[in-house]
Amino acid sequence: MSAVTGFDASGFTALRIEEREDRVHAKMDRPAVRNAIDETMVDEFHALCAHLERNPKILIISGTEVESAKEPGKSSGIFASGADIGQLRERRRDDALRGVNSQIFDRIHRLPMPVIAAIDGYALGGGAELAYAADFRIATPKLKMGQPETNLGITAAAGAQWRLKELVGEPVALELLLAGRILDAQEALELKLVTELHEPAELMAAADALADRIAAQDPLAVRLSKRVFHLPREAHPHVDEIAQAILFESQAKFDRMQAFLDRKKK
């Protein structure tokens, strides 16, 4: 699939962007601080979201490799170690009310097309909350995921307080939020917090394979299904019927159903 150059990320310093016809891969690239999420990264995610809101595509978010502190010369994967503690320490009440991370994670969650988090290594604090905001989470056996905020004298305020309860249930959510529990890969898989485990060398191929399966669907049907899925219970079934009415008039519906009928005849 040929590269698409409609989005100019040449000035980015925290994210590395690869755009293709049907997807965008955003790699968090601040290895010196273990991909800590700072305001520069947040601003770059906002710019990327603005592009994807105008040009809906699947988004894959991943981390990068960092050099091991214990074994110089060796590297290991990391998704994101959380917010930048150096910046976080200086933030005050008004900064918290701005919702720096919560606003961008919610915007990522609301993107028109699905978001895939491909997680290798640590996803802690804000890094975990970014992963929760994705529609799909796949990981490597090296995954470590949790919320260490209360040990730092703060709370998880960028989505974990409510998304975790929806994703893993209240008992496990409370262990993560109040007792500092860190999940390993197998635990996260058993809890369905991640749905696939792959070796690090195979992770991005797996993310692209998942994106391929999504891209094979009708894009408008995917967009409407995602939007309807996340609406509150009281909106259903009426909104389902409206979405279906829109799709019943789409050319893709006629073309895809006719192709299905033609295959059955063979």
Side-chain angles (χ1 to χ4, degrees):
M1 199 173 294
S2 60
V4 177
T5 58
F7 180 60
D8 182 11
S10 59
F12 280 17
T13 60
L15 298 177
R16 282 196 280 151
I17 305 296
E18 179 194 350
E19 183 173 14
R20 290 191 264 169
E21 184 179 346
D22 59 6
R23 72 198 65 177
V24 172
H25 177 197
K27 177 181 285 190
M28 295 178 284
D29 190 25
R30 300 186 72 222
V33 289
R34 303 177 69 79
N35 288 344
I37 300 169
D38 67 347
E39 289 214 44
T40 297
M41 186 181 289
V42 168
D43 290 344
E44 291 176 5
F45 267 127
H46 274 298
L48 176 59
C49 284
H51 173 65
L52 292 174
E53 288 159 357
R54 293 190 301 268
N55 305 278
K57 297 183 180 186
I58 300 160
L59 174 61
I60 301 171
I61 302 173
S62 71
T64 189
E65 290 193 343
V66 298
E67 186 171 331
S68 172
K70 296 180 179 179
E71 299 179 81
K74 289 190 176 182
S75 61
S76 59
I78 190 164
F79 184 71
S81 60
D84 190 309
I85 301 300
Q87 289 187 5
L88 200 59
R89 184 182 180 279
E90 301 306 316
R91 290 181 187 168
R92 306 302 293 267
R93 176 190 59 204
D94 288 347
D95 296 306
L97 292 174
R98 284 169 54 215
V100 175
N101 284 2
S102 62
Q103 295 298 318
I104 185 55
F105 296 167
D106 192 53
R107 190 175 186 180
I108 288 169
H109 182 69
R110 290 185 286 104
L111 284 171
M113 289 291 282
V115 179
I116 301 167
I119 313 164
D120 186 17
Y122 286 96
L124 299 174
E129 290 175 299
L130 171 58
Y132 307 152
D135 299 290
F136 300 92
R137 286 165 296 280
I138 65 175
T140 73
K142 297 181 179 181
L143 173 70
K144 298 289 183 184
M145 180 176 277
Q147 304 298 146
E149 285 88 350
T150 52
N151 190 47
L152 296 171
I154 58 173
T155 189
Q161 295 280 9
W162 53 279
R163 284 201 175 102
L164 265 178
K165 185 159 47 174
E166 296 175 354
L167 291 169
V168 299
E170 187 171 306
V172 175
L174 287 172
E175 277 197 77
L176 291 165
L177 292 165
L178 307 184
R181 179 179 174 184
I182 303 296
L183 299 175
D184 63 25
Q186 194 58 43
E187 290 171 323
L189 183 65
E190 290 170 359
L191 289 164
K192 304 299 183 186
L193 191 54
V194 300
T195 54
E196 302 174 21
L197 292 181
H198 301 274
E199 290 302 319
E202 301 165 359
L203 181 63
M204 292 316 303
D208 274 321
L210 176 54
D212 288 342
R213 297 200 297 274
I214 297 167
Q217 314 304 308
D218 173 47
L220 181 59
V222 170
R223 289 177 61 184
L224 286 176
S225 294
K226 175 176 175 175
R227 180 168 292 190
V228 169
F229 181 86
H230 290 297
L231 289 174
R233 172 64 182 86
E234 55 268 22
H236 304 279
H238 308 295
V239 72
D240 308 57
E241 295 160 359
I242 293 169
Q244 192 74 298
I246 294 169
L247 291 169
F248 271 13
E249 298 299 322
S250 73
Q251 188 60 45
K253 173 244 187 179
F254 292 101
D255 293 344
R256 285 172 174 260
M257 289 192 175
Q258 187 60 54
F260 174 83
L261 294 171
D262 291 344
R263 287 194 299 271
K264 283 192 69 175
K265 292 176 183 177
K266 293 180 181 179

